[in-house]
Amino acid sequence: MPMPRLPATFETDQRYPVDLHMHSTASDGALTPTQLVTLCAERGLTHMALTDHDTMDGVAEAGQAAASAGVCLLPGCELSTRWQGINIHMVALMPGGLQGPLVEGLTHQREARIKRADVIAERLEKAGLTDALAKAREQAGSDRPLGRPDFARALVADGLVADWASAFKRFLGSGKRGDVKAHWPEISDAVGWVVASGGVAVLAHPLRHGLTRRKRGLLMDTFQAAGGQAVELVSGHQNPDSTRDLARQLVERELYASMGSDFHFPGSHAAPGSMSLIPRTAAPPIWQHPRLRHLQDAPAGPLAAA
């Protein structure tokens, strides 16, 4: 059956039953795709995207669960990229599913993640985590490429840190021993994969990189010049003044506004649909993009191409 119709504009400060940035056990989330969809339905979401890191392996399972749960699922993934030496994440919303140049792109990303995990393990062993790769694999519980959260859980399980946040603060956060700069593609190349594959490229959580307003604008300009057309206006919880300023930058560039919790696991600071208010803004909602406009009237289950 059709989902509730989404608004054409953001006319008031409010939340919406939409979350277009979440993770499952297909990458570094704690819930299976089915469990994630079930939780989204329980929390009243009508539209969601599964955006695991550099993979779309969980989308088929999530699509089946969404049809049963009465939720519209937008297939996607989150790509790791580089811009001026900085790690930048980008969400790929893929209404037609995995296809085109993105297939080869995700193969490249998987190989980069495997090499990166080997280096992280080597560095953490020098810091005291014996058999780091095996312990992180145990935490992952599958053969998918390992990510920093898997090593964080291993550090906690081994008693080297008290909790996940401490693992990042001491060992895995930006500039720390386990912060390995993988051979990610330049952001312009990754945008090209997505757009040529029928998707919409979304700049993820732009307020989290510690950039000045000017440099954030330069990042958006590079992203837009490559074909990127949307930015996460709200990612989890953020300062309202910063959100409104970000909205002005989107309006100046005529970029679409997306939203997501960046949910990974229960008990964290985020939950599906848990994010700051979307401010009143002239920036159009992401579902007004020509490739996603049919999201407004789509039935439960996986969203097909327009």
Side-chain angles (χ1 to χ4, degrees):
M1 58 184 238
M3 300 292 99
R5 187 169 177 82
L6 298 173
T9 58
F10 295 130
E11 294 185 349
T12 59
D13 291 12
Q14 67 179 83
R15 294 182 178 86
Y16 299 89
V18 179
D19 193 328
L20 301 179
H21 186 162
M22 290 182 285
H23 301 272
S24 75
T25 51
S27 66
D28 57 353
L31 302 182
T32 66
T34 297
Q35 291 170 331
L36 176 60
V37 171
T38 300
L39 180 57
C40 287
E42 290 173 351
R43 290 183 56 83
L45 294 184
T46 57
H47 298 76
M48 63 172 289
L50 179 60
T51 57
D52 279 309
H53 290 285
D54 300 309
T55 182
M56 292 180 66
D57 288 351
V59 167
E61 178 186 334
Q64 292 180 343
S68 299
V71 177
C72 181
L73 174 80
L74 177 52
C77 62
E78 183 176 11
L79 297 168
S80 300
T81 76
R82 306 265 303 161
W83 176 74
Q84 294 191 3
I86 304 169
N87 287 350
I88 300 293
H89 285 182
M90 181 185 80
V91 167
L93 299 177
M94 304 297 300
L98 180 57
Q99 59 186 356
L102 187 58
V103 175
E104 184 177 349
L106 290 186
T107 298
H108 167 85
Q109 297 292 83
R110 179 182 178 85
E111 293 170 352
R113 281 191 170 274
I114 292 172
K115 293 176 182 177
R116 175 177 179 247
D118 289 340
V119 178
I120 292 175
E122 182 181 342
R123 292 185 181 184
L124 291 183
E125 286 187 356
K126 293 179 180 178
L129 181 64
T130 58
D131 298 321
L133 199 63
K135 289 176 179 176
R137 174 62 61 200
E138 182 181 356
Q139 293 297 320
S142 72
D143 62 354
R144 61 165 173 78
L146 299 172
R148 285 183 297 170
D150 300 311
F151 288 101
R153 296 182 188 109
L155 287 164
V156 174
D158 227 44
L160 293 178
V161 292
D163 51 37
W164 193 84
S166 299
F168 272 82
K169 186 175 182 180
R170 288 185 56 189
F171 296 105
L172 296 163
S174 180
K176 303 301 180 182
R177 185 190 297 259
D179 178 29
V180 176
K181 306 301 183 186
H183 297 294
W184 304 130
E186 288 298 315
I187 192 167
S188 297
D189 294 334
V191 170
W193 300 344
V194 174
V195 175
S197 302
V200 178
V202 183
L203 188 63
H205 40 70
L207 296 178
R208 293 193 203 168
H209 302 300
L211 302 176
T212 63
R213 187 182 197 276
R214 176 182 172 278
K215 196 159 187 178
R216 188 169 63 242
L218 292 175
L219 168 59
M220 289 183 193
D221 291 341
T222 300
F223 173 77
Q224 188 174 36
Q229 293 181 293
V231 173
E232 284 184 348
L233 176 56
V234 169
S235 175
H237 299 284
Q238 55 194 49
N239 180 281
D241 291 336
S242 298
T243 303
R244 284 189 286 269
D245 185 51
L246 178 59
R248 286 190 284 270
Q249 289 187 295
L250 267 63
V251 172
E252 290 168 1
R253 293 166 175 80
E254 298 183 345
L255 289 164
Y256 292 87
S258 189
M259 66 193 76
S261 62
D262 198 6
F263 171 76
H264 282 76
F265 58 91
S268 65
H269 64 281
S274 173
M275 61 193 87
S276 298
L277 296 176
I278 300 293
R280 178 182 181 183
T281 175
I286 184 71
W287 49 83
Q288 288 295 314
H289 188 285
R291 291 184 174 179
L292 298 176
R293 196 167 290 160
H294 59 307
L295 183 67
Q296 296 176 92
D297 300 304
L303 183 74

